[in-house]
Amino acid sequence: MDTMLKKPNRPDDEANPAASADGFHAYRLKVLADAIHEETEYEFLAMDAYQALVEAREHASDRRSELFRDGKLICALQFLPSGMWKVDPPIERMTTS
């Protein structure tokens, strides 16, 4: 499994006051295995979901992927041939008490 940590050029921290102290969030993209490729993970820092999707597009190709922000799964996604993202909410796992 490949892992890469990448920090983009630092944008203005005031653009996103909810972000971490330095303005960035830790994202992890898990690109799922298919008939040809093994599962691969990429770690990177981004200010917001838009920057995270730009980074994800560079690595995901058209394979199904999962995107995590600060360790929490936020969505499943796939870049479609039409040039659009298909984004699905994460599947909530039901637990019984």
Side-chain angles (χ1 to χ4, degrees), residues 7-42:
K7 186 169 185 172
N9 293 334
R10 185 182 169 126
D12 182 6
D13 289 337
E14 293 179 18
N16 185 356
S20 61
D22 68 353
F24 291 95
H25 291 276
Y27 284 88
R28 180 168 52 100
L29 178 71
K30 184 193 307 186
V31 183
L32 304 177
D34 63 12
I36 300 170
H37 305 93
E38 294 182 12
E39 182 177 285
T40 308
E41 290 188 6
Y42 300 93

Side-chain angles (χ1 to χ4, degrees), residues 2-6 27 41-45 55 58-59:
D2 298 331
T3 302
M4 168 185 68
L5 182 62
K6 187 173 164 181
Y27 284 88
E41 290 188 6
Y42 300 93
E43 294 180 356
F44 55 93
L45 300 173
E55 186 71 28
E58 189 174 316
H59 301 290

Side-chain angles (χ1 to χ4, degrees), residues 30 48 86:
K30 184 193 307 186
D48 54 31
K86 178 180 188 261

